Amino acid sequence: MSYTYLFIAGAIAAASVFAILAFYWAAKHGHLQNVESGAKIIFDDGEPIGQATDAFPGHQPGTLTKLRR
Amino acid sequence: MSPAVADLPSKPSLLESISPTSVEPVEDKAERVEIDRAMRGPVLLFFGAAIAWLLIGSLFALLTSLKFNLPDFIADYAPMTFGRVRPAHLNSVIYGWSAQAAVGVGLWLMARLCRVAVRHGGILYAAWALYNFGVLLGVLGILSGAGSSVEYLEFPRWASVVIFAAFALIAIWTVIMFRFRKPGHVYVSQWFILAAFFWFPWLYATANLIIFFLPVQAAVQGPVNWWFGHNVLGLFFTPIGLAAAYYLIPKVIGRPVHSYYLSILGFWSLAFFYSWNGMHHLIGGPFPAWMISASVVASFMMVVPVVTTGINHHFTMKGNFGALRWSPTLRFTVFGAVAYTLASLQGSSMAIRSWNQITHFTHYTIGHAHLGMYGFFTMVMFGSIYYIVPRLVEWEWPSASLIRWHFWLSAVGVAVMFASLSVAGLMQGWALENPDIPFLASTNFTLPFLWMRSVSGIMMTAGHVAFAASFALIMLKAGTRHTRPTLLANPDEAAA
Amino acid sequence: MNRMPLLLIGIFLTFLTSWIGLVATPYFQIGQYKPEVDEITKDSVPPPFSGQADQGSVVYASNGCIYCHSQQVRPSEAGADLARGWGARRTVARDYMYDKVAYFGTMRTGPDLSNIGARQPSVDWHYQHLYQPQVVSPGSIMPPFRFLFEKRRILGQPAIDAVKVLPPDQPEPGYEIVPTQDARALVQYLISLKRSSYPLPEAPEETPSK
């Protein structure tokens, strides 16, 4: 029984150490820089930012342009 | 970037396969069309089968619901007894509908975001056939009395093996696709999908092995059962639903997600905290206290990913809520995103011990499950299917009013269902906790609300019929082809 | 752009922690109990199941009793289970050591059955109740399980375990209702359910707090 608790404590400690190391590694290699640019990856010249891509069938396109960026 | 990917010959952008009406800029569009064409077969098959199971599952659901109020209704035919149609409902909507919709949406999104056309599509056809064979075997097994009564794992073990094999094929294929992705950033939706497709086979294999194939004493089944049961929702369906929301909401309104940083934070906190949640289904149960406490704490911590996700979607949408009027995809998806926040916060609250004491063992939990699996996940899948299918068949949805009917029936239906089950559950729990109230009073209190639940179920089923009709019509390419709304043919014109 | 290894390792490790905590640990911590044997009388608790009862648990599974009945008794600080008389103490992991599959349950449309064998030891009552729950227990919404019984023509003596059917479901004269093998096994299982009717060292009997 007490081994179980020791084991759990050890596992938590090991996981924390590993998480800190991984975080440090990621920061050092610049992975935490420029994070926001990733959000734009789903847009391209064919479907640029500011362009709606869905509407009810038969819907007038006029309203599609009233989008806020 | 690993070298293997860099070495890959870049795919020719099959210009000849562009639809004749398309205009510049041609490259991206050509690529999208090519990818969509390659995905058409497998994804449509998964969607089609998913919708068929949705209808079947809805019928089982209605039967189950009615049997609460009419215990004698079709009671003498063993396959239709309450204790069999209820798991038949759960398993056909979980494995038949939800998981197949998740696979279809996951595959399509993955292909799109990896920007590769499907390779080895044959594997997917085989997996589809095998998977549906497995689900069919499983549901028939339950009806014939071979069900295991281990919640979420009721399929007889021979069916589980088939399902596992099929899913392993899908997962392997997804990893292959991911490996051959075009260089570039890996979007957060891909993280979610990759993780989900990796976690599910692990979950499913572990739970089946420990409960059925290599059993130890039965007490172990409690933690393993709920580790599985909760994680299949939280680490398979939720990530797929979120992947779709993180792609579709920005894409439909043409605006990047409000904070990409928050979405990544959401990913890691979900992965870490959710996986520990399961034991809150067993508060007060015959298990070591530390396990239950760990799950209670992890359930509270779920507020972190949920609130970050909620805030993120809200600010992405902010100023564009008017778009809900004209985009079916957005309507369903945003409804789902809101339900996700509500269902998850409710879930955390249900881990509070004094509250759990009342809601545990009652219809309140069932209401919560429907808010999550239907209000959130299923609605997001509806939204995704409305987005994806026209791009695959290159045809417009034939009827706007069918879509509207579907939305309102489903949305109002699930809201009524949630409300009636919650009230029923609270009354039931309150009565159960007061030993001076005779037991049967606790069931009697629920009966009027269970009638209401049946009515809401009928509404949702009607919505599903409208949805299935839309799907059948678009597959038959019924109606006239509209060029604008889904912008298949002429994006520039619509944006002008 | 080389975030992939981190992502994949993260996906693996986050999940591994819970796998270790909620799967591997219980496998060793609560998967290998031994019974408590009384030095003098050589009686052991929990009482082992009979073969029929094991078979009955399969019938219990295939007809989905779990969707309305739980088999776990919460301690008095976590619910009114004891006050309702559903057990003499909370259930603990060792109470399930003889089950092939344990049906802890998550729903109480019907009462908890952890100790139904102590509460209702009569085989006849169970047959009657399964055959016509609404008659035995007016207002019950438990579905009848008539398909677990057979109607037979009485040849000579009526069968000993023929169901004492109450009106209005009685068979026509000259016929009797007898349990099938499934019903017999199921009822053997039910009357053997006495999970927390005796104390264990780790779980003494409790007095319910109202």
Side-chain angles (χ1 to χ4, degrees), chain B residues 1-2 67-69 71-72 75-78 81-84 86-87 142 145-151 154 178 181 184-186 191 194-195 198-199 202-203 206 210-212 214-224 226-227 231 235 260 264 267-268 271-272 275-279 281-288 290-291 294-295 356-358 360-363 365-366 428 431-440 442-444 446-447 450, chain C residues 1-4 6-35 57-86 90-112 131 133-134 137-148 169 182 209-210:
Chain B
M1 195 81 285
S2 61
K67 277 166 175 280
F68 271 105
N69 291 97
D72 248 325
D76 292 337
Y77 180 50
T81 188
F82 175 88
R84 297 190 192 174
R86 186 194 182 284
I142 290 173
S148 71
S149 272
V150 176
E151 285 184 79
E154 281 97 343
F178 187 73
R181 69 192 182 276
H185 177 76
V186 178
W191 299 27
L194 201 64
F198 172 74
W199 285 327
W202 187 356
L203 275 166
T206 302
I210 292 198
I211 297 180
F212 302 116
L214 308 165
V216 279
Q217 286 175 8
V220 178
Q221 292 161 1
V224 175
W226 286 107
W227 173 80
N231 283 350
L235 294 178
Y260 197 64
I264 290 172
F267 176 82
W268 288 116
F272 189 69
S275 61
W276 275 90
N277 264 331
M279 292 291 289
H281 287 268
L282 297 168
I283 295 179
F287 307 100
W290 70 265
M291 277 183 201
S295 280
N356 179 276
Q357 184 170 338
I358 295 172
H360 199 13
F361 302 120
T362 71
H363 290 286
T365 314
I366 315 280
Q428 184 189 7
L432 282 173
E433 281 310 291
N434 182 348
D436 298 329
I437 298 180
F439 179 85
L440 267 180
S442 76
T443 33
N444 284 338
T446 63
L447 294 179
L450 294 179
Chain C
M1 210 18 260
N2 200 359
R3 288 183 192 141
M4 276 315 101
L6 198 59
L7 176 64
L8 295 178
I9 292 172
I11 288 174
F12 178 73
L13 277 186
T14 48
F15 198 59
L16 186 68
T17 61
S18 81
W19 188 85
I20 291 174
L22 299 183
V23 177
T25 322
Y27 201 83
F28 297 106
Q29 195 184 356
I30 59 177
Q32 356 236 314
Y33 284 105
K34 294 196 173 47
S57 103
V58 176
V59 181
Y60 190 91
S62 66
N63 293 300
C65 313
I66 192 181
Y67 302 107
C68 291
H69 292 287
S70 60
Q71 284 189 34
Q72 50 174 315
V73 180
R74 294 179 292 176
S76 48
E77 71 271 13
D81 305 10
L82 292 169
R84 282 202 173 272
W86 286 343
R90 68 169 302 175
T91 47
V92 291
R94 186 146 59 144
D95 298 332
Y96 302 83
M97 61 174 288
Y98 291 117
D99 294 70
K100 294 261 166 7
V101 180
Y103 306 105
F104 301 107
T106 49
M107 186 65 174
R108 284 179 177 166
T109 302
D112 187 88
Y131 192 78
Q134 280 73 35
S137 209
S140 174
I141 61 164
M142 172 156 153
F145 289 90
R146 288 185 288 258
F147 58 82
L148 293 177
D169 303 322
D182 277 357
S209 60
K210 284 223 175 180

Side-chain angles (χ1 to χ4, degrees), chain B residues 313-351:
Chain B
H313 288 321
H314 178 79
F315 281 104
T316 307
M317 277 302 291
K318 200 171 168 222
N320 283 324
F321 282 101
L324 294 176
R325 274 201 318 277
W326 47 255
S327 165
T329 298
L330 204 62
R331 257 193 212 185
F332 281 97
T333 313
V334 169
F335 185 101
V338 173
Y340 170 68
T341 309
L342 295 180
S344 308
L345 293 179
Q346 187 198 19
S348 296
S349 77
M350 285 162 74

Side-chain angles (χ1 to χ4, degrees), chain B residues 3-22:
Chain B
V5 177
D7 289 343
L8 215 88
S10 65
K11 277 253 165 201
S13 52
L14 286 179
L15 282 171
E16 62 273 18
S17 71
I18 317 162
S19 74
T21 47
S22 82

